[in-house]
Amino acid sequence: MPLEVQFHHDPNSSHGFVGAALSSNIIHWFKKNGAWSREKIIDVENRKHPEWPIPVPGMISVILLSMDDKYLYFCNWLHGDIRQYDIADPHAPRLTGQVGMGGLLGKAPFVKGRRISGGPQIIQLSLDGRRLYVATSLFSTWENQFYPEI
């Protein structure tokens, strides 16, 4: 289930990425020898939760590319983390940053003394690439099921 598609900002590039939400992976597409190709480049492992009968999938809810096309960010809504990958080589991404922000598996952060419910969902990177803005709302029907305290 693709929720987000991102193309390189460079108009001469054929590279793009899609976040597959329920399979918890990132697919990279590109043109090679005049034909379109695709490959799975990131796969988020399911993780155990003490109250779930099955492992919790990652649920990639949004992806974002930096303006220089060097970094790919994504929100892992159910696990509760935001990840940064160096995609200077889009065929071999490297995890360069990860921060927890609630979710089902992590501790919910506090902002100005208030507990933030839910998992990271919407992100926006400042144009200079120095600040990442985050919100937690995804889809009220899902939030009512997974994060009823929102």
Side-chain angles (χ1 to χ4, degrees):
M1 181 171 91
L3 289 183
E4 189 80 17
V5 173
Q6 292 285 317
F7 296 87
H8 266 173
H9 294 94
D10 177 357
N12 296 315
S13 174
S14 68
H15 295 271
F17 305 86
V18 63
L22 296 180
S23 58
S24 304
N25 48 48
I26 303 290
I27 307 298
H28 166 230
W29 74 83
F30 55 95
K31 228 175 201 180
K32 182 177 180 180
N33 300 324
W36 288 101
S37 295
R38 69 189 177 293
E39 60 187 346
K40 180 170 62 170
I41 58 169
I42 299 170
D43 198 16
V44 176
E45 295 291 324
N46 296 346
R47 293 186 44 204
K48 291 184 179 183
H49 186 286
E51 298 173 14
W52 279 48
I54 61 171
V56 178
M59 181 67 175
I60 296 172
S61 60
V62 66
I63 64 173
L64 176 72
L65 296 183
S66 61
M67 292 300 291
D68 60 4
D69 295 327
K70 184 177 178 185
Y71 294 103
L72 180 143
Y73 298 83
F74 71 78
C75 289
N76 192 359
W77 190 66
L78 289 176
H79 288 185
D81 66 312
I82 301 169
R83 299 183 187 191
Q84 177 194 54
Y85 284 83
D86 181 328
I87 56 166
D89 176 358
H91 303 283
R94 289 182 314 106
L95 180 64
T96 54
Q98 184 174 6
V99 64
M101 200 182 139
L104 296 174
L105 302 176
K107 279 188 158 182
F110 284 83
V111 175
K112 295 184 178 182
R114 182 171 173 237
R115 182 176 174 268
I116 303 299
S117 299
Q121 192 314 87
I122 282 289
I123 52 177
Q124 181 61 51
L125 191 62
S126 62
L127 292 177
D128 63 6
R130 297 177 59 143
R131 293 170 306 282
L132 185 68
Y133 300 93
V134 183
T136 59
S137 184
L138 175 61
F139 180 58
S140 64
T141 303
W142 292 356
E143 289 162 356
N144 292 338
Q145 181 177 356
F146 294 105
Y147 304 113
E149 67 280 5
I150 284 186

